[in-house]
Amino acid sequence: IMPAKLLGPFSRSRWSERFNDRLAWTLILGLVSLICLLSFERYFSQDEFEAIKSAWKIFAGDRIYIDFFQHHAPFLYYLLTPLFHIFGETEATIFTARLLMLGFTLGTLYLTYAISRMLFDRHVAVVSELFLVASPLFVHKAIEIRPDVPQVFFGLLSIYLLLRYFRSERIATLMLSALSLGIAFLFLQKVVLLAVALHGLLLWRVFRRQISLAVLLLFSGIFVGTWAIYCLYLLMTDQFSQYFFFNFEFNIVKLEQHYHQTALLLDHLKEFNTVVLACVLLAIVSKKTQSQWEFTWVALGILAIIMLHRTQFAQYYLLVLPMLAIVAARGWQLVNELHPPLALSLIHI
């Protein structure tokens, strides 16, 4: 029987740490390679063709929300439109769009690692990365051509920069965080959940006199200002009323429970490994620093609102899954500190 200290990636042996980190990275790289393969080999969903068609309509000279129906934020379709100028109306345009989404997904994986390492340490970051790339619920939607994918990237970028600001107190970093959040909102309006959570976090720090009210106002001003610039363009071109109706009024639904919603929710939970969920629960009750507590409650708050939503599409969870992977990795670390062989077994499960 091997000594327990040689089985856990967080053992005291430096050799063991290096060996297990390399093993984890090998698994991660293998799964990332599979994600890259799926990006080009998996079938296309109807939502993806809707996104491609919307970009094609803009390419053809039609105005979004005025000349054709669309109820999502516009930046994905603006981003895809140049592909028609480069590749024309060919299959290359569709596959290049998938490649573009893959770039955002790889960026999301990097930010997940970076945020986890900033909040905890390198070993937790590796486990959080492994949890995320091994989640079918994340992988199946992160490879698709949909506005959720760049929204998640810019949303996580905003979180990462805000955490950097808390450490450095550099105003430029705070401004970039707010700008990233504003860009995420222009890709998909569901990021408003993260926007509310981050504003609540900043307000909490203002209440505790850890930051000034001016910091909160600057963050809010840049976030709203980013959106306001696009709204100004819409007002000047007489498109704002249609944009507001289809993006907000049309999408407003009641938060209510019914059987169909619960059944879909349970299906999604089956795809998100039970071990990961158990590690999330363990992390909630563990001792944490202020930033770790704040990050955990932001993640749980967003998750709770998504679970209360009337519809339960899998892509709704894309934003919160990287955050849950980070929290779960901390829970797994606690298991490893108490019983390394058990922690290794959980990874195998």
Side-chain angles (χ1 to χ4, degrees):
I1 299 175
M2 295 180 65
K5 70 177 182 178
L6 295 180
L7 296 176
F10 302 107
S11 70
R12 295 178 183 177
S13 168
R14 292 183 179 180
W15 179 88
S16 179
E17 287 181 356
R18 289 196 300 269
F19 174 81
N20 285 282
D21 279 351
R22 289 171 182 172
L23 178 61
W25 277 119
T26 301
L27 293 173
I28 291 168
L29 291 175
L31 290 169
V32 169
S33 298
L34 179 60
I35 292 174
C36 295
L37 180 63
L38 286 173
S39 294
F40 296 98
E41 296 293 334
R42 209 207 70 173
Y43 64 88
F44 288 83
S45 70
Q46 61 184 20
D47 288 349
E48 293 182 272
F49 287 118
E50 176 198 338
I52 291 293
K53 183 178 180 179
S54 294
W56 172 75
K57 297 285 282 184
I58 295 174
F59 167 74
D62 291 343
R63 295 172 298 171
I64 190 171
Y65 312 122
I66 302 294
D67 298 320
F68 64 93
F69 172 78
Q70 183 54 254
H71 66 109
H72 293 114
F75 265 39
L76 174 65
Y77 317 115
Y78 294 149
L79 182 65
L80 296 178
T81 299
L83 298 182
F84 286 97
H85 291 279
I86 299 172
F87 301 104
E89 300 171 354
T90 65
E91 292 180 353
T93 297
I94 300 175
F95 284 102
T96 304
R98 269 276 182 99
L99 182 62
L100 186 60
M101 296 301 102
L102 177 61
F104 281 119
T105 298
L106 295 177
T108 294
L109 295 178
Y110 171 77
L111 287 170
T112 301
Y113 177 86
I115 292 171
S116 185
R117 183 165 183 171
M118 186 183 302
L119 286 172
F120 298 101
D121 57 41
R122 175 170 56 88
H123 304 297
V124 174
V126 172
V127 175
S128 67
E129 197 82 346
L130 185 58
F131 280 165
L132 186 59
V133 296
S135 168
L137 187 58
F138 175 80
V139 173
H140 288 168
K141 294 302 176 182
I143 65 173
E144 293 183 346
I145 306 166
R146 56 175 62 255
D148 307 77
V149 179
Q151 172 222 210
V152 173
F153 170 78
F154 284 104
L156 288 180
L157 180 60
S158 178
I159 294 173
Y160 172 74
L161 291 169
L162 188 60
L163 291 173
R164 288 283 301 270
Y165 167 74
F166 288 152
R167 291 189 173 192
S168 67
E169 297 186 354
R170 294 182 59 184
I171 294 299
T173 305
L174 177 74
M175 295 172 68
L176 288 174
S177 174
L179 178 63
S180 300
L181 189 63
I183 293 173
F185 185 75
L186 291 173
F187 273 105
L188 194 62
Q189 55 270 41
K190 286 198 291 284
V191 84
V192 71
L193 299 178
L194 178 61
V196 171
L198 294 185
H199 279 81
L201 188 157
L202 290 171
L203 185 61
W204 169 248
R205 290 207 169 204
V206 170
F207 177 76
R208 298 190 64 180
R209 297 184 179 179
Q210 294 175 323
I211 60 173
S212 67
L213 180 60
V215 169
L216 173 59
L217 294 177
L218 177 62
F219 185 87
S220 299
I222 294 176
F223 167 65
V224 175
T226 305
W227 176 59
I229 292 172
Y230 179 66
C231 289
L232 181 62
Y233 160 75
L234 293 175
L235 286 170
M236 294 173 62
T237 55
D238 198 26
Q239 300 179 69
F240 180 78
S241 60
Q242 289 292 94
Y243 160 78
F244 189 84
F245 172 77
F246 284 116
N247 276 258
F248 302 102
E249 296 180 37
F250 181 83
N251 287 318
I252 292 177
V253 294
K254 296 180 180 179
L255 300 179
E256 56 185 17
Q257 290 281 347
H258 53 74
Y259 171 77
H260 184 59
Q261 172 196 4
T262 304
L264 287 173
L265 177 60
L266 291 175
D267 284 341
H268 297 331
L269 290 177
K270 290 176 184 176
E271 290 193 48
F272 200 57
N273 194 294
T274 305
V275 170
V276 177
L277 295 176
C279 289
V280 169
L281 295 176
L282 182 59
I284 292 173
V285 300
S286 68
K287 184 178 180 180
K288 291 179 283 292
T289 65
Q290 180 180 342
S291 292
Q292 292 168 358
W293 268 115
E294 291 168 343
F295 181 85
T296 300
W297 286 112
V298 166
L300 294 177
I302 294 174
L303 177 64
I305 295 175
I306 294 173
M307 293 174 69
L308 287 172
H309 202 273
R310 189 181 68 178
T311 53
Q312 286 293 316
F313 296 118
Q315 60 266 23
Y316 287 7
Y317 290 86
L318 275 180
L319 177 62
V320 77
L321 286 176
M323 303 171 71
L324 291 178
I326 293 171
V327 175
R330 168 56 181 161
W332 184 88
Q333 184 186 41
L334 295 175
V335 175
N336 186 78
E337 291 172 352
L338 296 173
H339 201 290
L342 175 60
L344 191 62
S345 299
L346 293 179
I347 288 292
H348 290 163
I349 295 174

